[in-house]
Amino acid sequence: MTEHVITSPLPGVFYRSPAPGEPPFVQEGDSVEAGQTVGLVEIMKQFTELKSGVAGVLEGFRVDDLAMVNPGDTVAVVREGES
């Protein structure tokens, strides 16, 4: 079981959903594909998608929705190769 860490590339606010009132991109325990968006980081009204680099299962988020993140912060962990 290899863990893949998804990190924030920049400082900003982390969002699990594409917009207020919409469901999250992915929930803990869900299967994810390589390249699938798991969240967004917003800084000055510019949004950057955070994507999984591997296929597997989202083990969990390491930051809360609407939390501030810094470059290099671990946002989520994916267990590679599981489904």
Side-chain angles (χ1 to χ4, degrees):
M1 232 183 338
T2 302
E3 288 188 345
H4 172 73
V5 176
I6 301 170
T7 59
S8 178
L10 64 160
V13 178
F14 173 68
Y15 296 93
R16 290 187 186 178
S17 302
E22 292 192 22
F25 288 102
V26 65
Q27 299 275 8
E28 293 177 357
D30 286 353
S31 293
V32 294
E33 298 297 324
Q36 181 176 341
T37 300
V38 299
L40 301 171
V41 174
E42 180 263 330
I43 183 169
M44 298 179 65
K45 304 298 179 196
Q46 296 293 316
F47 292 86
T48 300
E49 294 181 338
L50 300 183
K51 299 182 179 199
S52 177
V54 297
V57 173
L58 182 70
E59 182 177 284
F61 289 99
R62 298 300 185 253
V63 296
D64 293 328
D65 192 29
L66 306 178
M68 293 296 299
V69 294
N70 293 302
D73 284 354
T74 297
V75 173
V77 176
V78 175
R79 284 191 317 267
E80 187 175 1
E82 294 191 8
S83 56

